[in-house]
Amino acid sequence: MRISIPFLLVLACLSAVAAADTLTIQSRPGGSLTVECNSDTQELTFSRNGKPFAEHVKPWDGLGDVPTAKKVQLNDPLGQGDGIDIEGAAGTQHIWVVPGSPFVFTRVDVHPSSNAVIIKDITPFTFSMSAAGDNTRLFSPEGITKPGGGDRSTSYFFLAAVAPASRAGIVTGWITQEIGSGLVDSRGAGTSLSIAPRAEYGKHKVESGTTFRSEIAAVGDFDDARLGLEALADADAKENNIHIRPVMSGYCTWYHAHASNEKDLKALADFAKEQHLKDYGFDFIQIDDGWQKSRRDFSDYNHDATRGGATYPAGMKQTAGNINADGFVAGLWLTPFAWDSKVLSDHLDYFAKTPAGEVYAVKWAGDCFDMTNPAAQQYLSDTISRITHEWGYKYLKVDGLWAGTATTILYPNPQYKPDDYGNAVFHDTERGGATNISAYRTGLRTLRKAAGDDVFICGCNVAQNHRTLAGSIGLLDAMRVGPDIKASWDSISTRAAVFATREYFLNGRVWWNDPDCLMLRDPITLDEARAWGSFIAISGQLNVVSEDLAKLPPEKLDIVKRTMPNVPHAARPLELFSQNQPRTWQAHIGDREAAHDIVGLFNWDEHSPARIDVDTKALSLADGNYVGFDYWENQFVDTFSGTKSFDTKPGACHVLSLVKSADRPQLVSTSRHVLQGGPDIEEVTWDAASSTLRGKSKVVAGDPYELRIVAGPYKLSGATLTTGAKPETSDDNGHVRVKFTPTETGEVDWQVQFAPVR
C-alpha cells in the first residue's frame, strides 16, 4: 500500500446518520480559539474570538472508511488541552488547542492493520480562507509573493497569508520535523485561497501492527502576523525543549584570508587582546576552510609543506592554545556530513548510496555520510572529539549541512523544486527506520554528543537546501540563514540582509541567526559599514567580523566595538510583508527608567538618497511627544509627535533612540553601543526630591563614555562618579552630555544633578 496525499482532498465515504452533531473545543472557557467539527462530515471550522478564519477544513484523507469523531484530552510538551480525535480504519487524526497558545495543532497517527504501507507524504488538513484580491500577500522563507492563481505553490516550513497594510493574517507552519520535511502548499483562485501543510517522508515504510506518528502542524489567526511567526518559533522551542546557549560574537578568517596561517592568526589574536576587544564582547576566533588534511578529509590537519605552505606547522592544538592564551575561544570550520569516499575507500559503508548502489555525492559538498550507520557515527564522533576535546576548539562552524540529508543542492535561491528527496538509500532504509530528515537529525545529534555541551555549534547554511531550515531546529546553537556574500554593498543588501530578515523571528528563540560576516573594508564605504554593523546589532543576530582587524582604519574598527556584544531582544522589521528589504526595524530595549525604543532606518539603495519616515503610530508607540538621539549623526532628535522624516544617504542608516517626552530629565542615549544603553545601562532612576538622575553603567577601560540626556524643564547643575573622576559636562539648550573615560572595565555609578528652570 502506498499513501500519497493529493493537494485537494476528497473525503472518505461516510455512513449516513439522522442528524449531524457539532463537537466543539476551546483554548480556554469562552476562549479566543474555537474548533468545531461536524460529526457527519468531519469538516472543521477554526475561529478566533468568534470569527471563523479557516473554513471548510478537510482532515487527512487517509483515515479510511467511516471515520468517527470524539472529544478527548491531549497532553504534549506544548501543554494539556482539549482535543478532537477523528478515527478511521487506517489512522487517527488529533486536533487540539492549548490554553495560552494562539494555534490549533494537529498530527496524524497511521496504524496499518494488515499490510505494511509506504508513506510518501501526509497533508493533515486543507482549509480555505478569503483572499482580499490583489491585496493578499504570501510570506515564506522564499520571500513575498502573490497567490499564484490556480497553480499550487510550495513553501518550506511556514507560510503567512497577510494583508500587508494591516499585517493581519493567518500563519501556518510546522512544530516538529523529526522524520518528515514540513512544507506548506497554497493555491489561489479568485478571492479564495486554499492552504495545506504537507510533510514529505520520502518512501517511509510502516509495518503492519505498528503506529507511525506524523509531524505536528499548526495554524493560527493574528492581528499582526509578525507576532504569529514569533509564536510559531516559540512553540517550536517549547516542543523541542530548546534552551539557547548564550550568544557569541567574534571573527572568521574566510572572507579576507580563507584559512589564514599560523603567523597571521597569532598576530590577529594578539591585536584583539591589545585592543581589549574581549571587553567589548569579542569572544572567538574561527579558522575556515583550508586547514584540513585534504579538501574533504577532516581527520587531521595539513602536514604537507608543499600544499598551502604548511598553513599551521605547529599543529591545530597549538594554534587553539595560542588563541586561548589571548583570552578567546578557538573555532574551526568543517563539513561533518560530506567526506571524500576515495580517502575512505575501505569504508564505503560509511556513505549513503544511490538506488544503483553508488556513493551518493552532491555538488560542492562531496560524498554524503550515512548517519544511520553506527560505524559512520563512530568515525564522525572520533573526529569531532579530537577537534573539540584533544585540540581544544570550542566553536564549530559546520558547513554543507544538506549533505546529511542526501539531497541535491538548490543554492543560492532555494525555492521548492525537485531535489531527489526520498531516493537515497541509507543503512536503515531496509528496516524502514530512516528518512532523509531523520538521518540528518541523527547526524546532528551525533555531532552534538561528541562535541559536548560546552561547544557552540553554528550551522552553515540553509540556502544550500531549505530542508535544513526547520530540520535543524533544536540541534544547533546558530544557523547561517543566507548564502555567501562579498565585500560589496550590493551583496550585503540583496543577499545577507534579505535572507536574515525573512527568518528574523527564529533569532533568539530556536537559535541565533547568522546573517553572514561583518565586512568593513573598501569598497564598502564608512556609511555602508555602519549600516551593515547596525543591522546586525539591531536585529540581534550573530556578529562575526571577517577582516584583518589591525589594518582597518580606526573609524571602521570602531564599528566592531559599537556593534558587539549581541543584545537579545525582540527586534522586528516594520514592512516585513510589503518590502523584500524592510527599511525600518524596531527594538524595545531596557525597562522602567531605562526603557527606550531603538528604530533603525536603512537605505538599501547604494545610488540614491531616501527620505524615510518615522511614524509613531505605525511603530505602535503611545500617543504623545517623543525625544531621542541619532547615534551615527551624534545629535539629539528634537521633540516631535506623529511622523518625522529623516533624509538618508545612499547605503546609509539612522539609528534612533526614542523615549516618550516627560517633564523631567531623561537619559535618551549612551555612546557605548549602537543600541544606546542596551548592553551597558544597568539601572536608571530619577530622584525628584533632589532633582538627580542616577544610574549604573558597564564600561570599558580607555573607551570614552558619554551619557546623552534631554533635560526638559531643568538645567544641568553638576555630575559626579563613584570612581572619583570628574566628568566633562555640557548643556546645549537642554541637550546635556556627560562624558568620562573609565580607567577600568566594569560598573560605574553616576549621578547628574539638575535644577528646575524658573
Side-chain angles (χ1 to χ4, degrees):
M1 177 181 177
R2 176 188 177 90
I3 299 178
S4 181
I5 310 304
F7 178 75
L8 291 178
L9 301 175
V10 180
L11 289 174
C13 295
L14 305 174
S15 61
V17 294
D21 293 326
T22 299
L23 302 179
T24 302
I25 58 173
Q26 293 181 313
S27 58
R28 60 176 182 266
S32 59
L33 275 184
T34 303
V35 177
E36 296 175 301
C37 177
N38 183 305
S39 61
D40 253 4
T41 64
Q42 282 74 55
E43 189 171 275
L44 300 147
T45 300
F46 303 155
S47 303
R48 181 171 70 95
N49 296 330
K51 181 181 178 181
F53 65 87
E55 300 181 272
H56 310 297
V57 182
K58 312 292 186 183
W60 180 49
D61 72 346
L63 292 170
D65 295 338
V66 198
T68 59
K70 65 179 181 180
K71 292 177 67 172
V72 296
Q73 282 283 307
L74 288 171
N75 197 11
D76 181 87
L78 295 164
Q80 183 174 346
D82 293 333
I84 295 173
D85 278 2
I86 304 176
E87 297 180 342
T92 302
Q93 180 156 1
H94 308 282
I95 303 110
W96 73 99
V97 290
V98 176
S101 174
F103 292 109
V104 178
F105 301 102
T106 188
R107 77 165 194 269
V108 171
D109 292 348
V110 182
H111 38 76
S113 56
S114 56
N115 298 308
V117 298
I118 300 297
I119 299 180
K120 179 182 178 183
D121 57 16
I122 289 178
T123 301
F125 59 73
T126 300
F127 67 88
S128 61
M129 60 174 284
S130 296
D134 287 340
N135 292 326
T136 297
R137 292 293 181 271
L138 303 180
F139 178 79
S140 72
E142 291 74 44
I144 303 170
T145 59
K146 291 183 179 181
D151 296 329
R152 184 176 82 177
S153 177
T154 299
S155 303
Y156 292 96
F157 181 24
F158 69 88
L159 180 72
V162 183
S166 66
R167 296 193 292 266
I170 293 175
V171 173
T172 307
W174 290 92
I175 306 302
T176 62
Q177 294 201 42
E178 283 292 338
I179 300 176
S181 178
L183 312 165
V184 184
D185 294 326
S186 62
R187 176 178 288 161
T191 59
S192 178
L193 180 63
S194 179
I195 297 176
R198 176 170 58 92
E200 290 187 336
Y201 295 91
K203 300 171 184 176
H204 187 58
K205 185 178 181 181
V206 180
E207 299 289 348
S208 63
T210 65
T211 297
F212 167 75
R213 175 174 288 186
S214 80
E215 311 301 338
I216 299 173
V219 61
D221 178 51
F222 300 88
D223 294 331
D224 185 339
R226 297 178 304 172
L227 304 184
L229 293 169
E230 292 166 18
L232 182 70
D234 288 336
D236 272 79
K238 188 172 184 179
E239 177 69 27
N240 289 279
N241 193 31
I242 296 173
H243 301 281
I244 298 181
R245 286 173 174 78
V247 68
M248 299 180 73
S249 301
Y251 160 86
C252 168
T253 64
W254 179 248
Y255 283 115
H256 77 96
H258 287 213
S260 192
N261 60 73
E262 190 174 288
K263 179 182 176 181
D264 289 349
L265 199 69
K266 180 66 168 66
L268 185 137
D270 290 346
F271 177 81
K273 180 180 180 181
E274 292 163 4
Q275 290 288 314
H276 305 288
L277 292 188
K278 187 171 182 62
D279 292 341
Y280 291 92
F282 186 98
D283 300 309
F284 67 85
I285 293 175
Q286 177 243 311
I287 301 166
D288 219 278
D289 187 6
W291 64 269
Q292 65 271 28
K293 189 174 182 179
S294 64
R295 183 177 179 273
R296 289 294 179 262
D297 181 0
F298 306 96
S299 62
D300 203 351
Y301 66 95
N302 171 29
H303 293 266
D304 184 359
T306 66
R307 187 182 72 83
T311 305
Y312 293 95
M316 303 314 292
K317 183 175 182 178
Q318 180 61 51
T319 298
N322 293 341
I323 295 171
N324 297 156
D326 278 333
F328 304 108
V329 173
L332 205 60
W333 173 97
L334 74 156
T335 62
F337 310 135
W339 289 68
D340 186 348
S341 61
K342 293 179 180 178
V343 172
L344 295 170
S345 58
D346 292 337
H347 300 284
L348 295 183
D349 58 315
Y350 288 4
F351 296 90
K353 304 298 192 299
T354 68
E358 299 175 348
V359 170
Y360 199 105
V362 293
K363 182 180 179 180
W364 183 79
D367 302 325
C368 300
F369 250 25
D370 180 355
M371 295 314 301
T372 71
N373 185 338
Q377 293 173 16
Q378 188 60 54
Y379 189 85
L380 179 62
S381 293
D382 291 343
T383 301
I384 297 300
S385 181
R386 180 181 308 111
I387 290 170
T388 58
H389 298 294
E390 181 181 332
W391 293 353
Y393 290 87
K394 299 299 183 180
Y395 178 99
L396 296 180
K397 177 182 175 183
V398 289
D399 205 345
L401 289 179
W402 98 98
T405 70
T407 54
T408 55
I409 193 169
L410 303 180
Y411 185 92
N413 296 306
Q415 284 81 10
Y416 180 82
K417 59 177 72 79
D419 61 356
D420 205 38
Y421 186 84
N423 289 330
V425 179
F426 298 102
H427 177 78
D428 274 357
T429 295
E430 291 304 315
R431 298 200 298 271
T435 67
N436 301 73
I437 291 296
S438 68
Y440 172 61
R441 289 183 69 83
T442 297
L444 289 177
R445 288 189 170 98
T446 301
L447 174 69
R448 166 57 68 191
K449 183 177 180 181
D453 288 338
D454 62 340
V455 175
F456 190 99
I457 304 178
C458 178
C460 183
N461 66 58
V462 299
Q464 293 162 343
N465 187 310
H466 250 145
R467 294 192 190 274
T468 59
L469 177 58
S472 303
I473 286 177
L475 301 174
L476 292 171
D477 301 311
M479 174 63 90
R480 263 276 302 281
V481 291
D484 286 0
I485 61 174
K486 299 177 181 178
S488 76
W489 184 245
D490 178 69
S491 179
I492 289 167
S493 62
T494 62
R495 288 164 73 97
V498 169
F499 278 84
T501 298
R502 291 175 187 171
E503 277 91 44
Y504 89 92
F505 61 94
L506 299 175
N507 185 64
R509 291 182 170 87
V510 303
W511 55 43
W512 301 103
N513 285 354
D514 175 5
D516 211 2
C517 291
L518 174 62
M519 285 187 280
L520 308 165
R521 62 187 177 273
D522 294 342
I524 296 172
T525 67
L526 180 61
D527 283 335
E528 292 167 349
R530 285 174 170 172
W532 182 219
S534 297
F535 173 86
I536 293 171
I538 290 172
S539 62
Q541 303 186 56
L542 208 65
N543 193 341
V544 184
V545 63
S546 188
E547 296 287 1
D548 187 340
L549 299 174
K551 293 182 179 179
L552 286 176
E555 63 272 17
K556 287 189 173 181
L557 180 62
D558 190 60
I559 296 170
V560 177
K561 297 175 181 179
R562 303 303 153 210
T563 59
M564 293 183 182
N566 176 294
V567 179
H569 50 74
R572 297 186 181 107
L574 186 66
E575 311 95 345
L576 182 65
F577 306 120
S578 58
Q579 298 180 17
N580 274 314
Q581 293 175 298
R583 299 195 300 182
T584 308
W585 281 73
Q586 178 186 14
H588 186 75
I589 305 294
D591 55 16
R592 297 187 295 275
E593 292 289 337
H596 59 289
D597 280 88
I598 293 293
V599 179
L601 308 177
F602 298 91
N603 181 6
W604 299 111
D605 189 332
E606 66 179 323
H607 302 294
S608 302
R611 174 162 289 186
I612 306 176
D613 290 339
V614 171
D615 183 343
T616 57
K617 183 176 181 180
L619 294 170
S620 300
L621 298 177
D623 292 340
N625 293 328
Y626 282 81
V627 293
F629 198 85
D630 190 335
Y631 189 80
W632 294 116
E633 296 297 321
N634 191 26
Q635 63 186 22
F636 286 86
V637 175
D638 290 329
T639 303
F640 76 98
S641 63
T643 301
K644 184 176 178 64
S645 298
F646 290 82
D647 291 324
T648 313
K649 292 179 289 185
C653 74
H654 292 274
V655 181
L656 312 174
S657 171
L658 300 179
V659 299
K660 189 176 180 182
S661 182
D663 292 331
R664 55 173 175 73
Q666 295 172 278
L667 178 70
V668 296
S669 173
T670 68
S671 60
R672 162 65 188 91
H673 192 279
V674 72
L675 294 184
Q676 305 181 65
D680 51 294
I681 291 295
E682 295 281 272
E683 61 183 56
V684 179
T685 58
W686 167 248
D687 184 348
S690 63
S691 298
T692 301
L693 192 67
R694 295 187 175 91
K696 184 189 297 289
S697 298
K698 292 190 292 185
V699 295
V700 177
D703 183 37
Y705 186 79
E706 185 175 85
L707 305 166
R708 290 87 180 245
I709 300 166
V710 174
Y714 289 78
K715 62 181 179 180
L716 177 69
S717 62
T720 57
L721 305 174
T722 55
T723 60
K726 185 171 179 58
E728 300 175 15
T729 61
S730 66
D731 187 343
D732 181 10
N733 197 27
H735 293 160
V736 173
R737 296 176 187 255
V738 178
K739 185 176 181 179
F740 59 94
T741 300
T743 56
E744 295 181 358
T745 296
E747 293 182 348
V748 170
D749 292 312
W750 49 263
Q751 54 184 13
V752 185
Q753 296 84 30
F754 294 88
V757 176
R758 301 296 182 185

